[in-house]
Structure formats: structure tokens, C-alpha cells
Amino acid sequence: MRISIPRQFAVQYNLMRVIAITLASLCATQIVSAEDEIVSRPYGVLNSAQRLPSRTIAVGNDYLFTVSRPVSVANSNDDIVARPLAVANTPNTLTSRLTAVANTSNTITSRAVSPNNCPFGELNCADCNNNGIFDLCETDCAHAGGLCNIEGCGLEYDCNFNGIPDECERETGFDVICANVDCNNNGVADFLELIVDVQFTLSDSLPAGPQPYGIASGDLDGDGDPDFAVANVSGNSCSVFLNNGAGVFSTINTFAVAQSPRSVSIGDFDNDGLNDIAVACYNTDNVAILYNTGGGTFSEPSFHAAGDGAQCVVAGDLNLNGRLDLVVADTNSNTVAVLWNLGMGGFSVPDFQTVGSMPRAVTLLDIDNDGRLDIAAANSNHDNVTILRNTVEGFVQFDVESVGRFPFAMTAADWDNDGAPDLAVLNSVAGTMTLLHNDGTGDFSPMGLPLPLDQAPRAVAPIDFNGDDAPDIMVANYASGTISLYQNNGTGGFAARTTLLLPANSGCHGLAIGDFDADGRPDAAVANRSDNSARVLFNESISPSPDCNLNRVPDECDVASGFSPDENSNGVPDECEMVNDCATCPADVSGDAVLDAQDIQRFVDCLLNGSISGSCACAEMNGDDNLTSADIATFVARLLVGGLCP
């Protein structure tokens, strides 16, 4: 009996057939060598069996088939002629109509599909996203009298109608914004849905001690919501602001410390389950620790020696023993002091590490993904940052990066979403911020030109104020009394800054982030040195429509159009909710941490689309950054192992 396969499913059928043949072959433990030949009809080339040397793509002398990422067109009698990718290695240069882009080059380079199979002539055979479908077919099914009526036509967005898929323009650096597109028909242009309406409401003034300088947030009374503590530089004290859970700070207690406290760090230093407070005291060259006695009350300070001019203190488990150690920037001795936690709240004598001249700030980050926190110190007199790598043998000076004039503060976050923490450094005299990209090994380099700020920036913190899971940046500018916000596009690019005005002569000097009103959005607490107060900036920014894959299209549109698979029908593209990564679970293309039949169908879909983004990254098996038929055997072999991912 002859079974007729609908033409629109012919490619999937043949791919599944190839995978089935490979499965059967591997199950029989018959491993094909490079010299063996396989008799099969891969991709329905002609209407008879073809003998293909294994690992060989070209067939015959009169034509050349490239079967990687084929997009097929039905011929007759269920025969399929593969539309190959470019058979030549030379790129074609196309002049395109970029009507929505100003001040940019109108020339793009793309890999062409075989001119012999192009219905528009060689110059219109662009395939900029390299998925085996002509761009003009993807963006306009009716182009050239319906010649593009093939599987996949019309699936790519082309909101400016220039014949180039929007994703290609974005990858080339063009900013595609089209006001006439409303993919979910909700009356709001898509690009407006993805632009956050930045709104912060300023609280009333909260009285602190003389000249609040540094600030940190954390749960200080054990009720589960964030409180904050402020170091008062002229009051030789630390003020504790307790939150009632709704962003109301009715209880404010002040505790004496030592002279000229500059910085605050919160953590459980004695492992009793309660957060304590560490304060770096500049004039007395030590750290004062207020141990939490419960309910937001604290003991008399315990003093631990640091270096000359203790300016900044941070806490982290540096030796992986489960206890929080302290690292202090000693401005006048050109060192950072490591105070090792000895347990029960005791600390070692300072372990001094030499850095640059006059370090003003220090932060902890794992620069090389070895599980150990390393140290970065901002040297205000040398205008650079020293990186100290934390090794089993001790700290080693690993890198020194130049920044702007008088670096005063810094913070770490993965700005470009590559899995490695980067740095943001405030150059207080220059009035700029330098972003340093980490390549994953701890080698840093500037991420573009420094970003402009207002006068005398003194504090910086990462804050995802728009809820897109990409860290944005907030900066407190002391002399101008303003807050600068830089919104991250998800790949380390930042939109033009938003400026928030604080009351005149407030002199904001410290910054701490926390969801103080429990509405699911991060807020900011500011220490105002000039008017002896603290204030809270409550985040009321309107979150955009979810765009978890950062393609500037609402997720609901991606799912509705079929652009992003949503196998569990929860409205979230599968690529955004993978529970594992390909490094730990190769072949788990469905992203469910189980190797099973679902991965086969997803593998076929990925192979047809030629995509290695999102969950399709787990379909690329041989490490050549291309998804082709060459990946099938390795995929099948891994799939046969089966079971749960680690």
C-alpha cells in the first residue's frame, strides 16, 4: 500500500526517517566508517535510491546539493528537490532600502542562496539570517507573483517593508522601530509596549545622623522585608531604618561606632541567622561590627583593625568555608585588607594586598567562573582598577584596567548577558561611568565609550527597574542632587539616560536597592549627605509587555505567530524557560531536562530552520556553530543514552 505524504510535511518526514535509520543503525551497534556507504533516500533527492559516501554532501558531477538546513519545494510524485544554502563561499553584497534607518550605511553583507534556484535573479537572493529561505520570501509571500509560496514564507517580521527581516537589521546594528505594527491588536504599537514608562515616587525625608555617607540594605529585624542602615560620617554613628513591610520606616535607631564611618555592609557574620552590620571607619583605620541581638537591636560595636584610611567594606565568603569574610579598601595605604572570618564573629588580623594608589572602592565578583570570589579595587589616584584573582595559594594581581578621572565607586553585574560578571566604575571628577567587559576569563576591556553622568557621581548599583531580567544601572550624583538611570537592552547596550531630580541641596551620596514596599519591583534608598536625611525612591515604572527573548516583539506575538515554540502552552517562549544548559545536557533540545521523543521533534524543527539560538543551541552537536545533517548521528547517539539530565 502506498502512503501519500502531504508535501508540506515531506521534509519533516524525511528528516525523521533519517533519524530513525540512524537510530536503528546505532542500536544494532553498526558504526559506519568513513569508507562505508549508506543506501538511503535522504531528503528525497530524485525518485530513486542514491548511494552517498558517508560524511559526504556533494552528489554527482553535474550538480551540487548542500543538504544542511534544506528548505524543500515539492516537485511531483512526492519527489523533493532540496533548496541548498550558498554553494559558493563568496558573500554577495546587496544594496538594500533601509527606509527606517538614518545615518547608517545601506550596504549589508549576507550569504546568498544558490542563484540557480532563486526566482528573482541573483541580486535578490539574500538569506541574511542563514536559514535557507530567501529573505524576500520570508517577508512577503506574494512577492514575484506568488513564487514564494513555500513553507516558511511570511514568518519573519519586516515592519518597515524593506525586504529585510527585522532580526537581520538588528543584528547588523540597526535600530528597527516601526510605529505601524500592533501584532497583538491591543491598540498599542508594539514598540511602545516595549518601552518602559520610568516612574519613581519620592518618599518623605527620613532623619539620619550628621552627613549620611554610605548605605546598605538587608533584613535587620528578621521579618523578611528589607531594611537599611546608613553610616553618618560626621556623627560617628550608624542609623538603622526598620521597614514595616509596606515601605513605611517608622523605627529609626542610631548606634555609635568609630570616627568618620564611610561605608556599610550587611551580613550574618556570626552565623546565628541574624544579619549584622559592618561599618568601615576612615579615621580610626578599623571596621566596627554591630552584632544583631534580635528584633533590630544591636550590641555595642566590636572593632577589628583594617588599614590606613578604611574607606569601603564589602562582605563575601572568600575561602568557601561558609563564613562571610570582609574586604576593606584602605585609601591611604594603597592596599585592600582581607579580614578572614574565624567563626563566632571573630576576625583575623588584616591580610593586606597591594593595589593601586588611593583605592576608594572595592567589590567582589567571580571573574573566571572558578567558584571563588575575586577582588576588584578602584584606585582614585591612578585612575584605574586592579583585579586580584583569588586562588588556592592566595591572591594574585591579575589585571589593571584604565578608567576615567578619580574612580570613586563601582559595582559588578553581567551587563551583556554572556554569563561573566562585568564592572561599572564611576569616575567622580570626570563625571562619567566606564563599563568594563569581562571575557569570562577575567580579562577586562572597555564596553564602548564612557557614559555621561551628572556632577560628582558617588554611588552606583545594578537594578532591574523595568523587569526584563537585564540589569540596569542607577547612579547617585552628589553635587547635582540627581539620580541617573541607564536602561540595559539585554546585551550590554544602554539607552539614553533618565534623570530623576531629588530635592535641592540634598546631596545624594549613597545608594541601596531593595523591594521596600513588596510590590515586586526594586526600589532605591538614598543617603543624602547635605541635608542629613535618607529617602526612598519607590519604583512605579510600568513594566512592558514581556519580551523574554529580547527580540523587540512581545512574547505573546512570538508564540501566536509560531516564531517561538511554546510546547507547554503557558504563553512563555520555550527558549526562555529552559531548565538546563547544553553544556550539562547535550541533545536536550526540548529543554525539559529529559532525553526523550520530544527532543527528536524539536531537533527536526531546529534543523529545518537552521537555528542554533534558544533551545536549538542544544541541537548543535559537533561544535562547528552550524546546525546541519552532520549533527544527526551525534544527536542520535547521545539520545540513546536517555534518562534525566544531571
Side-chain angles (χ1 to χ4, degrees), residues 213 262 282 311 331 357-361 378-385 402-410 425-434 453 456-459 509:
Y213 197 97
R262 301 287 180 95
Y282 184 84
Q311 171 79 21
T331 300
S357 179
M358 299 185 68
R360 296 273 177 178
N379 308 305
S380 61
N381 198 38
H382 278 169
D383 301 336
N384 60 21
V385 172
S402 297
V403 291
R405 184 71 188 101
F406 205 81
F408 192 92
M410 66 180 170
V425 185
L426 298 189
N427 310 307
S428 189
V429 172
T432 62
M433 176 169 55
T434 298
L453 298 169
R458 293 296 174 86
H509 201 281

Side-chain angles (χ1 to χ4, degrees), residues 472-645:
D472 310 303
I473 302 178
M474 179 176 276
V475 176
N477 303 292
Y478 171 61
S480 56
T482 59
I483 298 292
S484 296
L485 275 171
Y486 273 101
Q487 182 177 344
N488 190 346
N489 69 1
T491 60
F494 290 85
R497 63 178 158 152
T498 299
T499 300
L500 307 177
L501 298 177
L502 296 178
N505 302 316
S506 59
C508 50
H509 201 281
L511 190 63
I513 307 300
D515 182 9
F516 298 115
D517 55 3
D519 66 351
R521 291 175 290 199
D523 311 304
V526 183
N528 299 308
R529 184 177 178 183
S530 298
D531 67 3
N532 303 328
S533 74
R535 290 179 183 267
V536 177
L537 292 163
F538 292 107
N539 184 2
E540 297 180 357
S541 301
I542 299 175
S543 298
S545 294
D547 178 24
C548 68
N549 53 8
L550 303 176
N551 67 346
R552 302 194 186 181
V553 177
D555 290 341
E556 64 177 296
C557 298
D558 284 339
V559 171
S561 68
F563 177 82
S564 296
D566 180 22
E567 294 180 5
N568 55 4
S569 301
N570 66 349
V572 180
D574 295 338
E575 64 195 277
C576 300
E577 54 181 1
M578 290 183 64
V579 297
N580 61 280
D581 61 49
C582 305
T584 59
C585 192
D588 180 27
V589 195
S590 65
D592 61 359
V594 181
L595 298 178
D596 54 19
Q598 293 186 31
D599 297 299
I600 296 178
Q601 182 58 58
R602 183 73 179 124
F603 180 86
V604 171
D605 293 339
C606 296
L607 191 61
L608 285 171
N609 294 326
S611 171
I612 58 171
S613 63
S615 63
C616 286
C618 295
E620 202 290 291
M621 304 298 298
N622 58 6
D624 63 358
D625 292 329
N626 286 296
L627 184 55
T628 70
S629 57
D631 295 293
I632 293 177
T634 308
F635 167 74
V636 171
R638 184 65 185 86
L639 194 66
L640 285 174
V641 176
L644 300 175
C645 292

